[in-house]
Amino acid sequence: MAASPLGDYQPGTTVFHRLPVGAKLLGLLVLSVVAVAFRGVTTTGALLALAGLSCVVAGVRLGRAARALRGVLVAMTLLAAYQTWQRGGEHAFVVVGALVALVLLATVFTTTTSVERMVDAITRWLGPFRRRGVNPELVALAFSLMIRGIPLTLAIAGETRDAARARGLERSPRAYLTPLVIRVVAHARATGDALHARGLGDD
C-alpha cells in the first residue's frame, strides 16, 4: 500500500499520542539544542537510549524505524568515516549517533501526530496574526508537510539506493539521483493533489 502523501500517522493510545502537539514540538527543539550544546559521548548515548525507548513506547513499527534510518545510511556512513579519519571514532559516534537519535525522535513525532492535530494546533497559535494578512491554515499545513516530508524523503532515498544496488549500479550517481528526483517530485505532485482535494492552495 502506498504511503499517504500527507504523512504516515499511526493511530494509538500511547503517552506520545496523548501529548499535546506543542509539547512534542518543544521536546524535539530542546533535544536538538541539547545534542548541539552538550555534545559528548554521554549526551549522544542518552539521546540514542531515549530515542529507542520512545520508539518502543510510541509503538513505532520496526520496519518504519528501519526505513527512516536506511534513508540516511549512506550519508551517515560517509560522515562517520570522515569524522573518524579527521577526529577519531569517539567524535564520529558523537556526531552520527546524535543525528540518528534525532531522526528516530522525529519519526516518533510523525507517527504519533496526525496532520489534523498539527494543523489545528498551529492554526490556534497563528490565530492572532490573521488580522495582519497571515493565513494560519495554509502556514500550519505547510509546516506539517515539511516535518512529515523528512522521514518520507529519507525512506525514498533508501529504497532508490537499494534499487540501484540491485541493478549493480550503486557506483553510478545518475542511477541513484535521477529516480530519486523523479520519486520526490511525484510525491510533491501527489501532495498538491491532496491539498486541492481538501480545498486548500486555491486563491
Side-chain angles (χ1 to χ4, degrees):
M1 180 181 297
S4 165
L6 296 181
D8 197 16
Y9 167 66
Q10 296 175 9
T13 58
T14 71
V15 63
F16 286 102
H17 285 82
R18 296 193 300 268
L19 278 175
V21 175
K24 287 186 277 191
L25 282 175
L26 180 61
L28 271 177
L29 175 61
V30 169
L31 290 174
S32 299
V33 172
V34 168
V36 175
F38 301 97
R39 180 176 296 179
V41 173
T42 301
T43 300
T44 296
L47 285 173
L48 285 170
L50 177 61
L53 179 61
S54 297
C55 285
V56 173
V57 172
V60 176
R61 296 167 185 162
L62 182 61
R64 174 156 164 72
R67 286 196 303 272
L69 292 178
R70 186 175 61 184
V72 298
L73 181 60
V74 173
M76 293 300 181
T77 300
L78 292 175
L79 179 59
Y82 176 78
Q83 293 293 338
T84 300
W85 173 51
Q86 288 290 315
R87 304 184 61 177
E90 182 175 301
H91 186 76
F93 168 76
V94 169
V95 174
V96 177
L99 291 175
V100 169
L102 292 176
V103 168
L104 289 176
L105 290 169
T107 301
V108 169
F109 176 78
T110 61
T111 301
T112 61
T113 309
S114 67
V115 171
E116 289 74 17
R117 284 189 64 196
M118 187 182 300
V119 169
D120 288 345
I122 299 178
T123 298
R124 288 197 304 272
W125 301 338
L126 295 178
F129 297 96
R130 190 185 297 274
R131 67 186 62 183
R132 297 180 180 273
V134 174
N135 187 324
E137 290 80 10
L138 287 181
V139 174
L141 186 56
F143 182 80
S144 67
L145 293 178
M146 178 189 70
I147 293 293
R148 291 181 177 279
I150 294 173
L152 180 58
T153 300
L154 294 176
I156 291 175
E159 293 169 1
T160 305
R161 185 200 65 241
D162 290 345
R165 180 181 299 164
R167 299 196 306 271
L169 300 173
E170 65 271 17
R171 296 182 180 277
S172 171
R174 183 176 181 180
Y176 171 71
L177 292 176
T178 301
L180 175 61
V181 171
I182 291 174
R183 292 189 62 185
V184 170
V185 170
H187 167 69
R189 294 187 63 180
T191 301
D193 292 341
L195 294 179
H196 283 295
R198 289 167 178 252
L200 297 171
D202 296 322
D203 295 327

